[in-house]
Amino acid sequence: MARVVGHIDLDYFYAQVEEVEEPSLKSRPVIVCVFSGRTDDSGVVSTANYKARELGVHSGMPIALAKKKLGGKDAAVIKMEHEKYEAVSGRIMEELEDRVDVLEPTGIDEAFFDITASTGGDYSKAVEAAESIKRAIFERERLTSSVGLGRSKIIAKLGSDMAKPDGLKVIVPEETEAFLASIPVTKLYGIGPKTSATLSSMGIRTAGELAGAQPADLERAFGRKFGAYLVAAATGTDADPVVAGLEPTQFSRIITLRRDTREPLEAFDQLSKGIERVHQKLIDSGKAFRTVTAIGILADLSIKTKSRSFEAPVDDVAVLRDVTLSLFEDLSRSVARDFRRVGVRVSGLSAVDSQSSLTQFLRPAR
DNA sequence: TCGCCCTCCTC
DNA sequence: CCATGTGAGGGCGA
């Protein structure tokens, strides 16, 4: 039986949440911004609604430039409030959980789902299910979303992308090959500027051309894993399953310094709250770490890291702080210019269970 | 396996 | 023109 995989994406999520909260925004260009705090306008646009996009504003654009483009257009410039969007996202994911066979959230505003079993592989049933999902989200949160349906994750993702905004795109299994033929490789998930440039130099610009390439050539150019992935992506035959309940493998926090510096203590001080946040994430998820990484983004935006691993998992925030500081001392000695941004990452995560909750054995739960 | 780097993803 | 923040995954040398 053909798989029925879906990908759902909430339209211009942060900005749309703001529009729902304040409906008068709907008639205006809206940008939701991350302010770095260096100067009044330093930072970037995280999300722009379609009115702002029409004026040439997009994600990742510096706020100052976006403001220039939006000057005199009655635009709303809104500071991002992550917790608010997390809450909305959480409610939507719960709703989705109830309506699909398997749900795999892949970000705050998107998820893969599998409805093969509940539809029996029938794509007309799948379309009804997808429409019902879109309707449920709209009725509950007044948010529009876009959905793609197809036989694999890559196809479903391509579909949701094409369906935006507020659309549904179905690629039935039999049409997959014809559908892919003329799709530019840059549209395929996992193919960014570097990969597409290399492919282009090999004379490959569409998925159809990629499908016709020699797997051996791809593997030589991109490595074994990624080469195989490219073949699967181009032919729509990726078998990667939708998986529920994936655990995070790392937590990190990166901040922009108030001024460029190479002083480890100055960097560490400003990162201090970030370290607490990372530790809080560990507590919330019940995890311990084995590796700490200090991250430095230098004045020229190049990235340098230093990391240290422990033999056994650690969950002590004091250790995290001490190691981070000492890594920044090392890092600072090894760089040729100042830090612009600094961060900390914990990885090698494992569940803190039996050891620390030995009391469970002494006093069994009910 | 570790440490470091690169690429990509999303907004 | 100024350039945020989070996470996944893989390659490679030691």
Side-chain angles (χ1 to χ4, degrees):
Chain A
M1 187 196 302
R3 282 199 298 163
V4 186
V5 176
H7 183 261
I8 183 163
D9 201 329
L10 298 160
D11 299 328
Y12 61 103
F13 183 50
Y14 301 165
Q16 205 191 346
V17 169
E18 297 295 342
E19 287 180 356
V20 170
E21 191 178 294
E22 180 49 67
S24 69
L25 292 175
K26 288 185 187 185
S27 60
R28 304 164 59 193
V30 176
I31 55 175
V32 175
C33 302
V34 184
F35 290 93
S36 68
R38 293 207 135 193
T39 64
D40 278 358
D41 271 353
S42 64
V44 296
V45 175
S46 178
T47 319
N49 71 354
Y50 281 82
K51 283 226 154 47
R53 291 184 201 187
E54 281 165 19
L55 296 165
V57 174
H58 56 79
S59 300
M61 178 179 279
I63 295 166
L65 178 56
K67 281 192 171 180
K68 274 183 199 169
K69 290 185 178 279
L70 297 175
K73 306 282 185 184
D74 188 34
V77 178
I78 297 171
K79 183 170 182 260
M80 176 162 122
E81 280 188 67
H82 209 261
E83 294 74 23
K84 178 156 84 185
Y85 316 130
E86 287 280 5
V88 177
S89 171
R91 294 198 297 271
I92 291 172
M93 294 299 172
E94 279 178 20
E95 180 78 43
L96 287 171
E97 287 270 12
D98 294 341
R99 292 170 174 276
V100 300
D101 302 333
V102 188
L103 183 72
E104 180 182 329
T106 53
I108 191 167
D109 74 326
E110 60 173 305
F112 284 106
F113 58 86
D114 189 303
I115 48 174
T116 308
S118 54
T119 61
D122 178 340
Y123 271 72
S124 53
K125 281 188 186 163
V127 167
E128 284 174 26
E131 283 169 346
S132 157
I133 285 169
K134 274 166 59 73
R135 204 157 43 232
I137 293 172
F138 188 77
E139 272 160 20
R140 181 160 175 171
E141 303 288 344
R142 309 320 284 182
L143 290 170
T144 63
S145 56
S146 300
V147 176
L149 291 176
R151 71 175 178 202
S152 73
K153 283 183 166 181
I154 292 173
I155 299 297
K157 174 98 173 102
L158 213 41
S160 67
D161 208 40
M162 293 179 63
K164 295 175 184 181
D166 195 17
L168 170 61
K169 172 74 182 174
V170 187
I171 299 107
V172 295
E174 311 80 66
E175 288 172 358
T176 304
E177 198 182 342
F179 167 79
L180 278 171
S182 61
I183 298 283
V185 292
T186 52
K187 298 280 185 192
L188 297 178
Y189 182 84
I191 299 187
K194 300 281 182 182
T195 306
S196 62
T198 304
L199 285 173
S200 185
S201 76
M202 297 165 71
I204 296 169
R205 287 178 181 78
T206 65
E209 289 164 357
L210 184 56
Q214 291 299 322
D217 290 344
L218 296 173
E219 294 187 9
R220 196 171 328 107
F222 297 102
R224 208 178 62 78
K225 279 259 188 187
F226 193 57
Y229 169 84
L230 287 176
V231 173
T235 51
T237 55
D238 55 303
D240 190 17
V242 178
V243 181
L246 288 178
E247 298 283 317
T249 66
Q250 58 177 237
F251 294 123
S252 66
R253 186 85 184 163
I254 300 177
I255 58 132
T256 299
L257 295 167
R258 281 190 282 278
R259 55 164 202 164
D260 291 1
T261 182
R262 213 175 305 195
E263 284 301 320
L265 260 178
E266 188 178 347
F268 177 78
D269 268 352
Q270 290 182 50
L271 187 57
S272 203
K273 281 208 182 73
I275 296 174
E276 300 301 327
R277 292 273 301 249
V278 167
H279 183 243
Q280 192 58 49
K281 293 269 263 182
L282 287 165
I283 292 173
D284 293 346
S285 60
K287 304 233 175 254
F289 58 89
R290 279 219 314 122
T291 303
V292 182
T293 303
I295 305 162
I297 291 130
L298 311 187
D300 65 353
L301 299 184
S302 63
I303 301 170
K304 284 283 264 182
T305 62
K306 285 266 183 219
S307 61
R308 188 177 304 163
S309 299
F310 301 95
E311 279 192 17
V314 178
D315 61 3
D316 186 349
V317 69
V319 173
L320 179 56
R321 291 178 64 88
D322 290 352
V323 172
T324 303
L325 177 54
S326 115
L327 286 168
F328 271 112
E329 284 164 349
D330 286 356
L331 196 55
S332 154
R333 279 191 286 270
S334 75
V335 296
R337 55 186 107 241
D338 288 349
F339 299 124
R340 176 188 176 87
R341 306 170 60 206
V342 289
V344 60
R345 172 166 65 223
V346 292
S347 54
L349 304 186
S350 57
V352 267
D353 45 19
S354 49
Q355 293 294 357
S356 58
S357 54
L358 186 61
T359 49
Q360 279 178 4
F361 292 96
L362 303 175
R363 184 173 54 76
R366 259 175 299 173

